[in-house]
Amino acid sequence: TQLLEQSPQFLSIQEGENLTVYCNSSSVFSSLQWYRQEPGEGPVLLVTVVTGGEVKKLKRLTFQFGDARKDSSLHITAAQPGDTGLYLCAGYNDMRFGAGTRLTVKP
Amino acid sequence: GAGVSQSPSNKVTEKGKDVELRCDPISGHTALYWYRQRLGQGLEFLIYFQGNSAPDKSGLPSDRFSAERTGESVSTLTIQRTQQEDSAVYLCASSRAQGYGYTFGSGTRLTVV
């Protein structure tokens, strides 16, 4: 089992600010997935990163996979209240998720 | 179906009763997963089914928990002699195969009183 550590655990910011959350492991992943969970719903897949050093953009969200494929980051530009939720990462072939970053964006 | 369907959406039960939760995965998805999410917490892996292979039960917290899946269709998670600490949202997810992205249902919120 590959342990995934996410940081920070909680983040509360004002609308318009930028932020970065992290997903780290001591193990190498062949790929890594990011999910967002809104209250009362199941998590929704945002992106899968596969190649070391890969950067993927989804509107204001930028995902990066570390060169060594042991870590990943999610950067949100000009956060909006709709970005509020629990952000989770999960590694390929591992059924376990990180504990998540709970993001609150205040209007 | 178009998505993963879970029923019931909410369940209130008395301590000591048995409960059965149902999950209808996306048609054609061979992998199915159950997770538990306590209030304000992350996802706790419970059990994984892949096709007709023996399930991975390594996440089940006690022998009061069991799950079944017939082929690549519906799965049921059964909790016997429920305890208050079993109160949580139980999420089901399916995927085309292990390693592909998960599609989650909206969960069953279980409250044990």
Side-chain angles (χ1 to χ4, degrees), chain B residues 41-86:
Chain B
Q41 303 296 312
L43 274 64
E44 178 185 0
F45 167 73
L46 297 178
I47 189 168
Y48 156 64
F49 296 90
Q50 173 63 60
N52 293 316
S53 301
D56 178 346
K57 304 180 181 180
S58 60
L60 294 179
S62 76
D63 59 8
R64 296 187 296 105
F65 288 72
S66 63
E68 294 183 349
R69 186 185 188 195
T70 304
E72 296 181 356
S73 61
V74 172
S75 176
T76 55
L77 175 68
T78 301
I79 308 173
Q80 296 179 311
R81 305 181 301 282
T82 52
Q83 303 295 313
Q84 288 187 328
E85 62 262 28
D86 299 334

Side-chain angles (χ1 to χ4, degrees), chain A residues 9-10 31 33 35 37 40-45 48 86 88 90-100 102, chain B residues 33 35 37-43 45 48 56 58-59 89 91 98-107 109:
Chain A
Q9 186 177 358
F10 298 96
S31 68
Q33 298 161 353
Y35 293 78
Q37 183 181 26
E41 299 295 327
V44 174
L45 179 66
T48 300
L86 178 65
L88 296 157
Y92 178 84
N93 255 17
D94 190 2
M95 285 76 74
R96 287 156 178 85
F97 284 71
R102 195 166 296 277
Chain B
Y33 312 79
Y35 291 87
Q37 187 173 34
R38 291 197 168 105
L39 186 64
Q41 303 296 312
L43 274 64
F45 167 73
Y48 156 64
D56 178 346
S58 60
V89 174
L91 289 161
Q98 188 181 13
Y100 286 82
Y102 304 97
T103 301
F104 281 86
S106 296
R109 181 175 300 276

Side-chain angles (χ1 to χ4, degrees), chain B residues 13-45:
Chain B
T13 190
E14 292 181 352
K15 179 181 174 181
K17 300 281 190 182
D18 297 353
V19 294
E20 191 172 277
L21 312 180
R22 176 186 170 105
C23 174
D24 280 277
I26 291 175
S27 178
H29 279 195
T30 61
L32 186 146
Y33 312 79
W34 283 98
Y35 291 87
R36 178 170 69 181
Q37 187 173 34
R38 291 197 168 105
L39 186 64
Q41 303 296 312
L43 274 64
E44 178 185 0
F45 167 73

Side-chain angles (χ1 to χ4, degrees), chain A residues 1-4 25 27 94-96, chain B residues 58:
Chain A
T1 299
Q2 299 163 316
L3 182 63
L4 288 160
S25 174
S27 301
D94 190 2
M95 285 76 74
R96 287 156 178 85
Chain B
S58 60

Side-chain angles (χ1 to χ4, degrees), chain A residues 24-46:
Chain A
N24 297 305
S25 174
S26 57
S27 301
V28 175
F29 291 99
S30 55
S31 68
L32 191 141
Q33 298 161 353
W34 283 92
Y35 293 78
R36 178 172 65 211
Q37 183 181 26
E38 298 183 10
E41 299 295 327
V44 174
L45 179 66
L46 297 174

